[in-house]
Amino acid sequence: MHLTNSSPAITARDRHLLRHAALAVCCAGLFAALAALVQTGWGPLARFDRELTDDLHRYAADHTVWTASVQMFSDIGGTITMRSVLGIVALWLWLIGARTLAGWVAAQTLIGWGGQWVLKLSFGRHRPAFSDPVAHADGPAFPSGHAMASVITCAVLVGLLWPRARRAGRTTACTTAALTVLTIGGSRVFLGVHWTTDVLAGWLAAGIVLGAVTVLVELARPGALARDFRRVDWRTRPRVQRVLVSSARPPRDTDPSDDPAEDLPDARSDDAPPAASADPAADPVPDRPDGLLR
């Protein structure tokens, strides 16, 4: 009698769903814990918030040139800029036929914006107040909209770049994204318009949105995101490379075992450029691994 494992193997899509579900759940748990500590006014956390904000405000008031530079960077990296960038990316993806991926980017933008204001109005936390403020901001403080929008935008851009980049490119993209997120979040605390815990909450809320939206899109349209990532890779591949891949295709009556294109990593029969069609969404797409938000 032979015992066999009847449980199905875990596919790449399953691992993809599990990663993003874990991201959303972990960030939601940490956000809930942080929000509870803030709402109850837990002493050590409240003192940390107040002391750090006061120290940074004194420094900002004494170094006006540096403060003006930080204010300029904070304005450039504001929520309007970040959402505009994602809006342009979503439009471009729609025009090249990656409709599901375009919807994913648009959903990250809109749900992030709506969720930010739902949370702000729900908690209604006041911003730091000073007799001589160096900057002004309106609305409730918790969570920080700048911090939330910067994480969503940088994560989406890195995710779109990931399948096409080599290791050095991925390292550079992740480093640049992390520095951007940290600098934008830190600028809000330095300018005295947010508490440190507001920024932390914004980062955690962004993780919830990124993970939850990705899981919902994958469940609604299984495999569509991966196909759109391959479509983006094909549409952005240099034209010369596409011509070389096309010319490497063997005739239909050629023995596949004699195909010299087998040594080329991208020279597969399903990688050949499709015939021109009116509908870009109907074009076949070559097989490439999905690098979404790895």
Side-chain angles (χ1 to χ4, degrees), residues 17 56 72 107 125 191 205 231 286:
L17 281 172
L56 289 176
M72 181 180 66
R125 189 185 194 188
L191 295 172
R231 182 179 303 280

Side-chain angles (χ1 to χ4, degrees), residues 82-83 86 104-105 107-113 116 145-159 181 202-203 205-210 213 293:
M82 293 295 172
R83 293 185 183 112
L86 290 185
W104 174 76
V105 174
Q108 298 283 6
T109 307
L110 296 175
I111 294 176
W113 175 76
Q116 163 201 321
H146 279 64
M148 192 170 173
S150 65
V151 171
I152 292 175
T153 301
C154 290
V156 168
L157 295 179
V158 170
V181 167
W203 292 341
I208 298 172
V209 173
L210 287 166
V213 170
L293 297 178

